[in-house]
Amino acid sequence: MPAHDVLILGAGLAGQRAALAAADAGASVAIMSKVHPVRSHSVAAAGGINAAINPADDWRSHAYDTVKGSDFIGDQDAIEVMCREAPHEVMHLEHIGVTFHRNETGALDLRAFGGASTKRTAYVADITGQAILHVLYEQLMKYHERVDRYEEWFTTSLLQDETGAVSGCIARDIRTGTLEIFTAKNVILATGGAGQCFKPTTNGLICTGDGIAQAYRLGAPLMDMEMVQYHPTCLVENGFLITEGARGEGAHLLNANGERFMEKYAPNKMELASRDVVSRAEQTEINEGRGVGPGGVGIYLDITVVPKKRTLEALREIVNIGKDFAGVDITREPILIRPGQHYIMGGVKTDIDGATPIEGLYAAGEVACVSVHGGNRLGANSLLDTLIFGRRAGEHAAQRAAGMAQPKPAAQQARLNDEQAWVKSIIDRPQTGRRIAEIKDELGTEMNRNVAVFREQAGLEHALEVVRRLKEEAKTAYVDDKGSVFNQDVLGAIELGYMLDCAECTVVAAIERKESRGAQFRTDYPERNDEVWMKHITLSRNGGDSPEIDYAPVTITQWQPEERKY
Amino acid sequence: MAAEPTTAHSPTRSDVSESFTLRIRRYDPESGEAPYWVEHTIELEPHRSVLEGILQAKGRFDGSIGIRCSCKAAICGSCGVRVNGQPGLACHTHLDRAKATSRDGVIEIEPMGNMPVIKDLIVDMDAVHWKKVQRVTPWLINKTPIPEREYIVDRESMVDVTQSMACIQCGACVSDCLAMEVDPLFIGPAALAKSYRFVGDPRDAEQRERLMDLAEDPHGIYDCTHCFKCIEACPKGVAPMNQIMRLRRRATGDHHIVDRNNGERHEAAFVTLIKNYGLLWEAELLPRSYGGNSWFGKFAPPAGLELASSLPAITKAVMRRKVTIMGAVKPHKIPPADLKQVQAIYDEIEGRDKRIEYNLYISGRDEDNEDSPQERVEATGDAKSEDNA
């Protein structure tokens, strides 16, 4: 039975950074992931990473932009930590090998990004997430004697000792189907977001909210779950992401009349207003009949205004995506896009060290809500979030481990037997239930219809009804695969349960927040209401099967809420 | 540009679903049975991907079909398979194109080659691919002292290594590597491309040591046979073979590493012979590669030994009339005007003070020029990689 000081679940940027930091701090570390680490969804982050590294820039300016981007419900203590530590973190990445693009002097080049008051985004063409993820994995290979890797292991449950502290997990070796208990003094959740609750989404099939639901089931509070980011530029065809870097390099958004309509919505920042603002503007144009393409459901993103040489050098990936997935040469013609689900600002509530209210349980990255993004995340702040709070969680967990003995939870074998029986009961379900894919499809379609850019009471209530019905149906969903080796079917059934928990919390919180702020826009409550709603909504499962609503104050250090204009 | 609402959307695109039949190779390691084929008919728009087809079959008919996948957008590198025998990403292959290249209208999907199959379309990447990556010391060995801020390096050098950084480790190149089929110990295209990412990185302290290692290894950079299969297979334009050639140019041209595999001498002989004669003179190539790059090379003992050991192959070639005695002894001739042109290319390239390596990201295109066909060729220095998709 493996035992470690720090066990990290998930091996994207947050998880790998946490593992390296914990190992550097002297802890014995294991990192576990249901996919090979380089398949983690951090790989899809394209545009870059924000840091005030230009001597003329200041981390306070970055922090203010982030606070404003969050529509003032980001916690300012956490935002300060993130922005202050950002330059150092980017330099660290540079030192371990990330091939950041340079300017003519050989120093890091910076590009413009949405909601930022200056150019502060370091980048590797438009494969920044991939470059950083692969470089961190290079480091994990270098650390192979210090960090144990469990690749393609699926966590089925978190374990607690008698005091309620987290003491490890039970996981299934996907290759063999064997369940095993992993003991750990600390567990760091780094399992990413829950974009698969929506259809379409820019998120990979693996983004099923595993860690969020596992923490929630243990009683950890979730926060800001109503805040779901729709990215302004996703392919109409299939929801694939076109990086914000395109607009950062100067691309325009055009409606059916050929107008740069952002003039009306954000005259100062235009296409580089924050994402919630741009997505709403696009959706308004579409809803009011000025959309383009078949059915008028899209908007043109015109990249032809960017010099061709620059496009080929800095936006190479979307040249390929345009060509391969939309049949469009973006250097010659505009491409059809629309807002699409991209990111969840909410997640497991943590402090600035990644610690959750449950002893021994940490969270970092999209699974967590620190909250640095509040109502709306700025582009290129997510990579930063994963790395800063991944590192902090790793360091903090290593410190905590140093002063304690390895937990010895009682009745382990019995617990393992129960888990085995549970998994077997899923595999053995009678063929009378609905198909997993069908339930998932209905969930995604419903969420994208009623829990999207614009929301209102009746639609949200409908969504809640659907989610709760699907939760019942998921309990009997049929599993075709009866085998042990790579039984992805049974894992899909478990993931479906995770997704439904996440979706339920999102809808409940969206119904609760009766105002419009950041990504939550209620057509029935179109104004921001600081008097009542300058607070976070938290949700916990205190014994029952549905979430209990509570509130948490917003931490304000130096920036008072003001009207938000771009 | 003016955006006419009707111009930009691809006019050839059909939004109507069609039926496609997939023939998937299944293998259940727990059954004790051999692999077998299963067919499923799915309904999708023709420009959707083979992966989406497989997912529909999995979702509607049989959840037990095993395939790794996540992003569906050719970035996570999970869904490497062979479609109609061609390696690539299932998400990066359109259904209509796959149908058009099939033998009998049925799209055939099987696991990648050169790696053991775990189940259905899932192969053991650890046993082959990742082991080879681990072989090339796949992390930066920092030049010291490490600066307080970033290393100040040439702008082009970072863009240059970005092409190998663009590798998503999908294994498609490994699947189709002919050299690896013959020599399973060959380090292989993916790992060598990874290696170039360090050798080409000015922040790495051990470029020469890395090159030495790869040149001296009998399964290293000189084991590649230029078959171009990896370039065709790569869905990301990394063009692994080109990275291997870059490693060779660095090893020979920049570091003058004379290796025990005769790689350096072979390259030098090649260059000299083409320069002198305009065409390859095979009979002269072998002795020079082993004995040294001059007319006297054939009298060096290693050349004699190699010639002796190659005699059976040479005899066979003569018997089958692949070569003639006279053809071997005399150099091939081309018209003097053509030879002059060949030599002009040499003068042009050798006259440059710096080697220019175009890649995916470095296009050599001027900002405002409308591109002529010629420019398009230039713009894609790694020409093959550009058009394989």
Side-chain angles (χ1 to χ4, degrees), chain A residues 39 53 94-95 97 102 108 138 152 205 237 240 300 309 313 317 324 435 480-481 484 488, chain B residues 5 13 30 58-59 63 67-68 70 92 94 119 142 149-151 155 169 194 197 203 236:
Chain A
R39 317 293 174 213
I53 50 181
E94 201 280 328
H95 293 158
R102 308 295 160 131
L108 296 190
E138 288 167 10
E152 302 193 313
L205 294 163
E237 315 254 11
F240 287 1
Y300 277 143
K309 186 183 166 91
E313 175 182 299
E317 187 58 28
D324 299 338
R435 294 195 69 82
D480 295 316
D481 198 334
S484 306
Q488 298 171 314
Chain B
R13 180 59 46 82
E30 295 165 84
K58 201 171 148 101
I67 180 169
R68 292 191 184 101
S70 176
H92 196 249
H94 295 258
K119 176 192 175 181
N142 290 83
R149 284 178 63 96
E150 69 270 42
Y151 286 90
R155 185 181 183 286
Q169 312 292 344
K194 182 83 173 169
R197 171 242 172 299
R203 299 168 297 178
K236 304 303 288 185

Side-chain angles (χ1 to χ4, degrees), chain A residues 104 249 303-314 331, chain B residues 155 361 363-372 375 379:
Chain A
E104 294 305 333
E249 299 289 339
I303 306 169
T304 63
V305 294
V306 180
K308 214 171 270 185
K309 186 183 166 91
R310 180 65 184 161
T311 302
L312 290 176
E313 175 182 299
T331 66
Chain B
R155 185 181 183 286
Y361 294 89
S363 68
R365 194 196 292 262
D366 285 336
E367 302 231 340
D368 300 314
N369 287 356
E370 241 337 280
D371 38 346
S372 61
E375 204 184 355

Side-chain angles (χ1 to χ4, degrees), chain B residues 310-328:
Chain B
S310 302
L311 265 178
I314 295 170
T315 318
K316 238 188 220 165
V318 172
M319 303 269 285
R320 290 185 185 165
R321 303 209 181 148
K322 290 210 165 185
V323 290
T324 60
I325 304 284
M326 280 314 280

Side-chain angles (χ1 to χ4, degrees), chain B residues 25-74:
Chain B
R25 197 170 87 173
R26 305 287 311 265
Y27 168 63
D28 176 3
E30 295 165 84
S31 69
E33 304 286 324
Y36 57 101
W37 296 92
V38 168
E39 289 191 9
H40 290 290
T41 300
I42 51 102
E43 301 275 332
L44 274 172
E45 297 93 328
H47 62 275
R48 304 291 283 276
S49 70
V50 168
L51 176 64
E52 285 176 286
I54 297 171
L55 289 176
Q56 193 182 96
K58 201 171 148 101
R60 287 191 186 166
F61 313 120
D62 187 352
S64 74
I65 300 169
I67 180 169
R68 292 191 184 101
C69 56
S70 176
C71 77
K72 302 199 271 186

Side-chain angles (χ1 to χ4, degrees), chain A residues 471-484:
Chain A
K471 263 180 98 164
E472 282 309 306
E473 292 174 356
K475 288 177 186 161
T476 57
Y478 180 63
V479 173
D480 295 316
D481 198 334
K482 308 296 177 198
S484 306

